[in-house]
Amino acid sequence: MIGRPWGEVLSTSAGDLLVIRPKRIKLPFWMVLLGLLLRWSGRLLWWCLRHPVVTVSVVLALWLYVEFDWPGLVVPLVLAATASAVWRWRDESSWWTFLAGPLLGSCRRVFVYRRAWREAMTLCGLAEMYDHRPVLPELLRVRSDQALDVLTVRMVRGQTPEQFQAVSANLAYAFGRRHARIYSERPGDPPTRTGHAAWLLRLVDRVRYRDRPTLVYLALVRTDALRTVVPPFAVPAVPDFTALPLARREDLRTWSLHLLSTHVLLGGATRSGKGSVLWSLVRVLGGGIASGLVRLWVIDPKGGMEFGLGRPMFARFAGTSFEAMADLLDEAVEVLRERQTRLAGRVRVHTPTEADPLVVVLIDEMAALTAYLQDVELRKRIASSLGLLLSQGAGVGVLVVAALQDPRKDVLPFRDLFPTRIALGLTEASQVDMVLGDGARKRGALADQMPRWAKGVGYVILDGTPDPMRVRFSYVSDDDIRDMARQYPAPVDASDILAQVGRETATEPVRLPLPRKPSGPLLPESLRNLLDRDAGGDAR
Ligand SMILES: Nc1ncnc2c1ncn2[C@@H]1O[C@H](COP(=O)(O)OP(=O)(O)OP(=O)(O)O)[C@@H](O)[C@H]1O
Ligand SMILES: [Mg+2]
C-alpha cells in the first residue's frame, strides 16, 4: 500500500482520490536568510574548488589591485601578453596545444556552448524523457585548436553515437557552424613520447586515451581549413607506401593514404577534382618512380587528356586504343601470375624493392572500360583481367587505383573489391554509400552536398575507425606536372617488367614422411599391440 503524504486532508471524493494540502513549517525570517546565505556560500565554495585556476587568478588580481592599484593589474597583463606573443612566434603548435587551445576552449564552453546547450539538444532531438523529466546529454569539456572545437559529451543512458551522427548537420547549424562530425572514439592518436619521463607520460596516455563507450566527441569546424587551395606536398625521396601525404584534413593535419596492399576507388562527379587526387598520388610517388621502386601503368580513356603531360613518369601508358588498354591489363595479370609463382611459399606479402617494384595501375574514367565500351569481347576481356587484379593483386604488389563518376553496380561490377575508398563531390545521396560503404552518409559523409567551390574536397574513411573525415586534396597545376615529369622520369628499362625479373617456377618442396601417430584411445591395448607388431613386420 502507498503511504499517505504528510499534510492535511482537505476533502475525499467518492473514489480513492484524496486532496491534500502539504504541511507548512513556519520559520522566522532570520533563519530563512541564514539558510539561504549558507546555501549560496556552499555553492560558491564548490564552484571555487571546481575552477581552481579562475579562483586563483581572481584572488591574485584582487590582491595585486589592493596592493599596487591599477599598475598591479596592467603590468602583469602586458607581461603575459608579450610572453604569449613570443611563444606563439617561436612555436605556434605548442602555443595552441598548451595555452590558446585550452583557454579558448574554456571560454567557448561557457559563452557559446553552455548557453545554447539545452535548446540545441532539445531541438536536435537528443534530449530524452525519463521519469517525466527531460534528461540531456552532458557537455564535459571543450577543446579548441586552430580550426576545430572538439566537445566531449556524455550521452544519455541508452543513446548511441549513431543517434548523434544522424543529426550532425543539425548540431552544426545549432551552434552556428556549417560542418560537424561525430566521433565515437577520441579523435587523434596518442602522441609519441620520448625522453626520460616517456614511460610515465605513456601511462598517463593509456588512461587518457582509454576506450570510453559512454562518451561521444563532437567536432565543430570553427574555421574551415579546406576553403583555401592546398598546395602540393613535398616529394619524398623514398615514398612510404603506408603513409603517402595527399590531402589536408579539417583539423589542419595531413591525411595520408595507406597504399600498400590495397586498391583505391575514387568516386566523384564530373569536375569534382578527381584529377587532383590522382596527380597528388603520382606526385608523392615521384621519388620512387625515378629510383624504380614503383612503376605506374596508366590508362587514360580520355585519349591522354588527363595524364598525357606526365608521360615520362609512366612505365606503361594507354590513352587511345582500347585494345592497348586491354593488353596493358592482361600484362598486369601476367606480372601478378609471375609474382605468385615466384613468391608462393616464401612470403605472404610482397615487399616492393627496386628489383621487384610496386606496380600501380592507374585508371581514370574506369566506366569507359567496364560499361561504355561498345566492343563486348574486349569489355569481357578487360573485366576478367580487372577481376583478377582486384581480387589477387594487392598482396603481390600489383595495385589498382581507379577513378570514376558513376559508382552504380552496373557501371562498376567490382566495387566491393576495392578496400580503400575516397568520395569527392557526388550528385546523389545514394551514391555516397555506394562509394564509401553502407552507412557512411549517415555517419556524416555528406559528399552529395558539396558547394561549388569545393573542388578536390572529399570524404575518406580513416584507418581503424568507421567515422568519415573531410579532406581537401592538394592541387597539382600543369606547371607542377611538367616539372615533375622532368625531375622524376621513370628509368629507361621501366616498361618491360617481366623481362627484368626473369621468370622462375617454384619447385616442389622436399617432403618428410609423416611420423606414425600414437595409437588412438579407442582401440584396446591388446589390439593396438597386435597392429603395431603387424606394421613392424610389414616394414621389414
Ligand atoms: N584540389 C583542388 N583544388 C582546387 N581546385 C581544383 C582541385 N582539383 C581540381 N580543381 C579544379 O577543378 C576543376 C576540375 O578538376 P578535374 O578536371 O580534376 O575534375 P575531374 O573530376 O577529373 O573532372 P572530369 O570528370 O571532367 O575529368 C579544374 O578546373 C581544376 O582546376
Ligand atoms: Mg578527370
Side-chain angles (χ1 to χ4, degrees), residues 255 420-421 436 440 443 445 459-463 465-469:
W255 178 72
T420 306
R421 324 276 190 87
L436 290 178
R443 278 183 255 116
Y459 288 89
V460 293
I461 304 283
L462 295 185
D463 268 354
T465 64
D467 311 316
M469 161 72 78

Side-chain angles (χ1 to χ4, degrees), residues 142-208:
V142 179
R143 180 116 200 157
S144 300
D145 59 25
Q146 284 112 305
L148 305 181
D149 285 344
V150 181
L151 281 61
T152 310
V153 180
R154 179 174 289 128
M155 291 179 284
V156 174
R157 218 174 267 275
Q159 282 183 336
T160 61
E162 283 75 37
Q163 282 169 270
F164 283 72
Q165 280 162 344
V167 292
S168 63
N170 309 50
L171 284 169
Y173 284 97
F175 293 113
R177 302 285 140 197
R178 286 203 186 275
H179 302 282
R181 218 147 311 292
I182 302 288
Y183 296 97
S184 45
E185 288 180 30
R186 188 183 165 129
D189 300 322
T192 343
R193 305 292 191 181
T194 48
H196 289 305
W199 63 273
L200 185 65
L201 293 175
R202 259 183 247 128
L203 274 181
V204 174
D205 284 345
R206 265 176 64 178
V207 177
R208 282 175 63 213

Side-chain angles (χ1 to χ4, degrees), residues 229 269-276 302 306 365 405 455-456 472-475:
V229 174
T270 180
R271 311 301 288 159
S272 59
K274 296 185 292 298
S276 70
K302 275 190 177 169
E306 180 69 55
E365 306 297 346
Q405 297 182 16
K455 308 279 184 199
R472 184 163 199 175
F473 288 86
S474 69
Y475 179 58

Side-chain angles (χ1 to χ4, degrees), residues 279-334:
W279 275 112
S280 297
L281 176 63
V282 173
R283 183 177 169 85
V284 289
L285 291 175
I289 294 173
S291 68
L293 191 61
V294 53
R295 299 279 154 83
L296 290 187
W297 291 24
V298 174
I299 296 181
D300 183 1
K302 275 190 177 169
M305 280 297 290
E306 180 69 55
F307 283 108
L309 268 185
R311 180 68 185 89
M313 302 180 82
F314 310 136
R316 302 285 312 271
F317 186 79
T320 37
S321 141
F322 284 97
E323 191 83 38
M325 294 173 202
D327 288 348
L328 190 151
L329 288 173
D330 285 348
E331 210 165 306
V333 172
E334 234 176 282

Side-chain angles (χ1 to χ4, degrees), residues 111-429:
F111 296 111
V112 179
Y113 298 111
R114 280 268 294 274
R115 285 177 58 188
W117 192 250
R118 173 174 287 272
E119 195 182 336
M121 289 300 114
T122 312
L123 297 180
C124 291
L126 291 169
E128 308 279 348
M129 286 303 282
Y130 176 68
D131 208 8
H132 305 292
R133 260 175 295 168
V135 194
L136 297 178
E138 191 183 348
L139 174 62
L140 298 183
R141 184 164 185 251
V142 179
R143 180 116 200 157
S144 300
D145 59 25
Q146 284 112 305
L148 305 181
D149 285 344
V150 181
L151 281 61
T152 310
V153 180
R154 179 174 289 128
M155 291 179 284
V156 174
R157 218 174 267 275
Q159 282 183 336
T160 61
E162 283 75 37
Q163 282 169 270
F164 283 72
Q165 280 162 344
V167 292
S168 63
N170 309 50
L171 284 169
Y173 284 97
F175 293 113
R177 302 285 140 197
R178 286 203 186 275
H179 302 282
R181 218 147 311 292
I182 302 288
Y183 296 97
S184 45
E185 288 180 30
R186 188 183 165 129
D189 300 322
T192 343
R193 305 292 191 181
T194 48
H196 289 305
W199 63 273
L200 185 65
L201 293 175
R202 259 183 247 128
L203 274 181
V204 174
D205 284 345
R206 265 176 64 178
V207 177
R208 282 175 63 213
Y209 285 82
R210 71 189 183 278
D211 188 23
R212 301 175 76 184
T214 53
L215 305 185
V216 282
Y217 300 86
L218 164 62
L220 286 150
V221 180
R222 208 178 60 245
T223 329
D224 193 356
L226 310 188
R227 279 220 165 226
T228 48
V229 174
V230 181
F233 290 91
V235 183
V238 181
D240 174 3
F241 297 122
T242 59
L244 298 166
L246 295 191
R248 183 196 287 160
R249 297 175 16 168
E250 256 171 357
D251 55 5
L252 285 175
R253 286 194 235 165
T254 300
W255 178 72
S256 300
L257 171 73
H258 183 126
L259 182 67
L260 204 64
S261 309
T262 189
H263 304 290
V264 184
L265 175 66
L266 164 65
T270 180
R271 311 301 288 159
S272 59
K274 296 185 292 298
S276 70
V277 181
L278 298 176
W279 275 112
S280 297
L281 176 63
V282 173
R283 183 177 169 85
V284 289
L285 291 175
I289 294 173
S291 68
L293 191 61
V294 53
R295 299 279 154 83
L296 290 187
W297 291 24
V298 174
I299 296 181
D300 183 1
K302 275 190 177 169
M305 280 297 290
E306 180 69 55
F307 283 108
L309 268 185
R311 180 68 185 89
M313 302 180 82
F314 310 136
R316 302 285 312 271
F317 186 79
T320 37
S321 141
F322 284 97
E323 191 83 38
M325 294 173 202
D327 288 348
L328 190 151
L329 288 173
D330 285 348
E331 210 165 306
V333 172
E334 234 176 282
V335 175
L336 166 108
R337 289 278 179 246
E338 185 277 330
R339 281 196 181 163
Q340 282 175 336
T341 333
R342 186 156 43 88
L343 300 180
R346 294 195 195 168
V347 288
R348 282 178 52 211
V349 178
H350 167 263
T351 313
T353 59
E354 273 146 37
D356 204 10
L358 186 75
V359 176
V360 181
V361 182
L362 212 60
I363 309 174
D364 194 20
E365 306 297 346
M366 180 126 163
L369 306 183
T370 55
Y372 311 144
L373 183 57
Q374 297 285 329
D375 186 335
V376 180
E377 281 308 307
L378 208 54
R379 203 167 65 213
K380 277 191 187 153
R381 212 176 113 203
I382 287 174
S384 86
S385 312
L386 272 176
L388 279 171
L389 288 177
L390 288 170
S391 56
Q392 301 179 17
V396 291
V398 185
L399 313 179
V400 180
V401 176
L404 87 169
Q405 297 182 16
D406 181 354
R408 275 172 306 149
K409 260 268 154 66
D410 42 343
V411 176
L412 184 67
F414 327 98
R415 203 173 61 204
D416 300 331
L417 294 177
F418 288 89
T420 306
R421 324 276 190 87
I422 299 169
L424 297 184
L426 291 163
T427 45
E428 287 170 30

